[in-house]
């Protein structure tokens, strides 16, 4: 079976590793091209947008793709919507890999907000020391609240002009340990964390440390899930692929 995996996540990389060398599948992993130095992968990759829904549908047809696996990040809403529409257009089977969202426990001090503008408003009018871990794409709304002292952490530096001039930048790629996060939050005297509900284990440690330190967290909610068949992780995606492959072999 020819597979296209839409990636940029731990799950996509893990699925690629599971499929590498398996003669039943020929899989390509697709990156948007947002990071300069993407992690090495176990299967062939391609990089860059497809040119919208029609471009992706054309790619699926031209490359004779049998199944499209959307393993993009839970906040990559446009790519996910395009995957649903293009798979339908091209008549290709689609599976979405969507890791479960984080859930607050009784000792968590979360303010849950629907979007980044609401996250800015939740910080309030009094200056606070903020750890901002929302990714490069979602920084602009915070320019409207320049009185806070922001420490911005993402894989690569944000482009100039998307943050108040006083913000500091920390380049780092997860996974992060609780010891690392404890050191960062205490040394930087962080008073509030702003993040989005990505789920997964790679960036979860900051939430555990916030709980221990009694720090508030502004948690931005996910976009709605797609209307597609959804599994939670790479193992379940592999099981789905094996079932499909067996059905194809039986001529179902
Ligand atoms: P997005 O807003 O949903 O997508 C914008 C456009 O980028 C898409 O329409 C598509 O262009 C292109 N694109 C996105 N993912 C692609 C992929 N895997 N392969 C080829 N083209 C892709 O996406 P985003 O939120 O900017 O995320 C970009 C990438 O970063 C994704 O691979 C995602 O998994 C990863 N990522 C995102 C986040 C996040 O918080 N958003 C966090 C970690 C990793 P065309 O319309 O031209 O096809």
């Amino acid at each position: 079976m020819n597979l296209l995996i839409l990636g940029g996540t731990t799950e996509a990389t893990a699925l690629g590793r599971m499929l590498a060398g398996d003669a039943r599948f020929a899989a390509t992993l697709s990156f948007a091209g947002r990071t300069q130095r993407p992690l090495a992968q176990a299967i062939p990759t391609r990089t860059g947008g497809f040119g919208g829904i029609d471009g992706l549908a054309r790619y699926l047809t031209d490359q004779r793709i049998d199944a499209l696996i959307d393993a993009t990040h839970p906040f990559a809403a446009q790519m996910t919507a395009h995957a649903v529409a293009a798979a339908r257009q091209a008549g290709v089977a689609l599976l979405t890999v969507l890791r479960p969202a984080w859930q607050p426990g009784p000792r968590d001090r979360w303010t849950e907000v629907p979007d980044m503008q609401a996250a800015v408003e939740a910080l309030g009018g009094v200056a606070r020391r903020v750890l901002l871990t929302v990714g490069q794409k979602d920084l602009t709304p915070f320019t409207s609240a320049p009185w806070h002292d922001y420490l911005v952490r993402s894989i690569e530096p944000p482009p100039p002009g998307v943050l108040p001039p006083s913000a500091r930048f920390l380049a780092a790629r997860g996974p992060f340990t609780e010891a690392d996060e404890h050191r960062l939050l205490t040394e930087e005297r962080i008073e509030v964390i702003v993040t989005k509900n990505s789920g997964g284990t790679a960036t979860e440690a900051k939430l555990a440390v916030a709980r221990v330190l009694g720090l508030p967290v502004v948690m931005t909610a996910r976009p709605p899930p797609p209307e597609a068949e959804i599994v939670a992780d790479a193992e379940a995606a592999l099981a789905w692929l094996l079932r499909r492959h067996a059905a194809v072999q039986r001529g179902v």
Side-chain angles (χ1 to χ4, degrees), residues 3-9 12-17 20 26-33 35-48 50 59 63:
L3 309 178
L4 176 64
I5 303 171
L6 303 175
T9 57
T13 297
L15 182 59
R17 216 179 295 123
T28 301
L29 178 47
S30 176
F31 286 122
T35 50
Q36 300 293 319
R37 284 174 288 113
L39 296 175
Q41 301 293 323
I43 57 173
T45 61
R46 65 163 299 285
T47 302
F50 296 93
Y59 182 97
Q63 303 294 319

Side-chain angles (χ1 to χ4, degrees), residues 205-221:
K206 61 178 179 275
L207 302 176
V209 177
R211 191 176 307 131
V212 169
L213 297 176
L215 287 183
V217 174
V218 177
M219 182 65 75
T220 314

Side-chain angles (χ1 to χ4, degrees), residues 5-9 29-34 46-53 55-56 71-82 99 134-135 137-138 155 196 198:
I5 303 171
L6 303 175
T9 57
L29 178 47
S30 176
F31 286 122
R34 299 280 187 274
R46 65 163 299 285
T47 302
F50 296 93
I53 295 166
L56 177 55
T72 53
H73 190 269
F75 280 79
Q78 181 168 307
M79 188 69 252
T80 288
H82 287 187
R99 60 178 92 130
V134 296
K137 196 172 117 180
D138 291 304
I155 295 177
K196 50 190 187 185
S198 298

